[in-house]
Amino acid sequence: MDVKMWTYIIVGITFAFYIGIAIWTRAGSTKEFYVAGGGVSPLANGMATAADWMSAASFISMAGLISFMGYDGSVYLMGWTGGYVLLALLLAPYLRKFGKFTVPDFIGDRYYSNTARTVAVICALIVSFTYVAGQMRGVGVVFSRFLEVSIETGVVIGMIIVLFYAVLGGMKGITYTQVAQYCVLIFAYMVPAIFISLALTGNVIPQIGFGGTVSDGSGMYLLDKLDGLNKELGFDAYTEGSKSTIDVFAITFALMAGTAGLPHVIVRFFTVPKVKDARKSAGYALLFIAILYTTAPAVAAFARTNLINTVSNKEYVNMPEWFKKWETTKLIKFEDKNGDGKIQYVKDPTTNELTVDNDIMVLANPEIANLPNWVIALVAAGGLAAALSTAAGLLLVISTSISHDLLKKQLKPNISEKGELLAARIAAASAVIVAGYFGIDPPGFVAAVVALAFGLAAASFFPAIIMGIFYKRMNMQGAVAGMIVGIILMIYYMLKFKFGVFDGGKEAVEGLKNGLWFGISPEGFGSVAMLANFIVAIVVSSFTSPPPAHVQQIVENIRVPRGAGKAHSH
């Protein structure tokens, strides 16, 4: 059977499975819609958290980024993994003890004001929409290649599927769907990695193959060979970095702090019965995440080696079928500049004839390595599982922010539970449509968009949450001022240096690189904006009156880990 047929079968089975789960676990109350009724086991929650956490950026883009950036790509590995640890140790148990479903809910109650709550809702919506645009784009890329439809059609199909189980099942449906999606995505990631590791290095464990020798009898280490291949084509050595130390530090820290402020992951810790279970599920999730994260650098190196060996200086007419198929998606382009019919793949843009989109590396990897068709289709199903699981989690954040934090807590306090549930579903449906639009017309490739979402979360939420837990003196005025300054600074920097909004559009962006503040790229600027948030918040709060005594008492109580009650919404 051909790839298309296998894709229909495997993707069809997995989708039927997800939809079946959504129908079986559909939410009947707001508690089930928001936190799955608070009765999920730590093991299941660990898997669901891992699926929620590992988005299209982890599955599709991260190895693609590392494969082109080499050593510099390690910032994504360090930032995202470190951020998860920070979240599990520093924030999750305390927020769980506080007993609030959403980040805006925590901020609204801790800073005793609806102004703070509204600012937090706006920040949550900005972060979630930026992030979900990346997921929709990932879904579009997968569908466009494997079902041979346009990226736009792919995004629309993805929207319909997500809409179905996020709107119907709420957090309850999403949780159990995510357990299934984790199993699909990890299997889909590991199978080709094991096959390719065996073919390239003779080693069945990709992590060991990555540091091993190539199995062509030369006795050369894989990374040495890759360094050589890269240098021949004028690229930087794969194992050497070109980013400045400050930029590496800034990006890593922005990703870490952004992770810890990500609304859709924090909510996951409310779906378990006890605080102890929140810590346990965080540990399980880290284990499940590590499987993919330790494999990604190996997948990146294998894909890069195979790509260079397959295309560099080869006759275009003899290119394998996968090349022609990816060309139709416009994600790989060959332009014969010297008319010799051969593909010149080099660093110098004036003579380079091949443009490759980072996002195709993981998806095309099994095809480049000539793996069986069912493996290629399996990777497509894995990519979709990763994108859809995160998109669903984000849509839930968007819908709860609107129905719970704006409607129930501010505009219509007397709304019935049925009315609130309906509002949450309408908000989720509207959010899917907006996200779909961004997916069709995306700002940059998946991982870059996602990195910016993390920067926005770091700049806005992280200081407000950390100081809300650990600094009793932090008051409403300080928190609100800090969040506003942080997010505006981050958005300004992003628009200026990522999209060239103030300087003549995207074409001008390259020329702006010399003007970067402190030499920090937009992906890492979240660290600077976060620092500004901390400083503004502390200064403002020290010149204004301290929080009321009952709020200070709550902060005291959050940090006592024993005797924590169940999560409640009121």
Side-chain angles (χ1 to χ4, degrees), residues 291-544:
I291 299 173
L292 189 142
Y293 270 59
T294 54
T295 312
V299 170
F302 301 156
R304 180 83 180 151
T305 309
N306 282 335
L307 177 79
I308 293 175
N309 285 335
T310 311
V311 301
S312 183
N313 224 5
K314 300 288 192 296
E315 298 278 349
Y316 174 66
V317 287
N318 300 332
M319 272 293 112
E321 190 193 1
W322 70 264
F323 191 89
K324 305 281 200 304
K325 287 267 172 76
W326 277 105
E327 265 192 313
T328 58
T329 63
K330 301 189 176 64
L331 296 173
I332 193 165
K333 279 206 286 281
F334 167 60
E335 185 190 349
D336 196 358
K337 291 181 180 170
N338 58 8
D340 67 352
K342 283 186 176 178
I343 297 175
Q344 298 290 329
Y345 179 44
V346 289
K347 186 182 182 182
D348 180 2
T350 53
T351 52
N352 176 46
E353 300 175 340
L354 185 72
T355 321
V356 186
D357 189 305
N358 297 8
D359 289 342
I360 76 167
M361 290 309 277
V362 170
L363 300 171
N365 200 10
E367 296 179 271
I368 300 172
N370 267 329
L371 295 185
N373 286 346
W374 66 268
V375 178
I376 297 167
L378 182 67
V379 172
L384 290 170
L388 295 174
S389 59
T390 305
L394 289 161
L395 290 170
L396 198 73
V397 166
I398 294 167
S399 67
T400 28
S401 293
I402 292 168
S403 62
H404 187 73
D405 298 313
L406 275 182
L407 262 182
K408 170 90 176 150
K409 292 283 180 162
Q410 298 185 54
L411 305 175
K412 290 176 82 173
N414 301 324
I415 192 170
S416 68
E417 176 149 340
K418 214 170 173 183
E420 191 184 339
L421 196 56
L422 179 69
R425 288 186 163 139
I426 293 169
S430 319
V432 171
I433 293 161
V434 178
Y437 168 74
F438 283 129
I440 288 168
D441 186 23
F445 57 96
V446 182
V449 176
V450 171
L452 294 172
F454 279 79
L456 290 163
S460 55
F461 285 133
F462 185 67
I465 298 172
I466 282 285
M467 291 190 290
I469 296 170
F470 296 104
Y471 183 41
K472 271 197 310 195
R473 180 71 180 72
M474 182 44 60
N475 63 10
M476 168 188 84
Q477 293 88 334
V480 171
M483 283 194 292
I484 292 172
V485 167
I487 198 138
I488 287 176
L489 199 56
M490 180 66 198
I491 290 172
Y492 168 77
Y493 198 79
M494 216 167 90
L495 292 174
K496 181 172 173 64
F497 291 107
K498 189 76 187 173
F499 305 114
V501 168
F502 310 112
D503 306 275
K506 280 190 178 179
E507 291 67 41
V509 171
E510 285 304 311
L512 292 170
K513 292 216 168 124
N514 306 330
L516 292 174
W517 303 358
F518 320 110
I520 293 174
S521 55
E523 288 80 4
F525 192 73
S527 298
V528 181
M530 174 180 69
L531 205 60
N533 179 338
F534 270 118
I535 294 166
V536 168
I538 291 167
V539 169
V540 171
S541 73
S542 54
F543 284 107
T544 44

Side-chain angles (χ1 to χ4, degrees), residues 262-275:
L262 269 186
H264 73 292
V265 178
I266 290 173
V267 172
R268 289 242 59 98
F269 293 101
F270 291 106
T271 61
V272 288
K274 299 193 291 290
V275 175

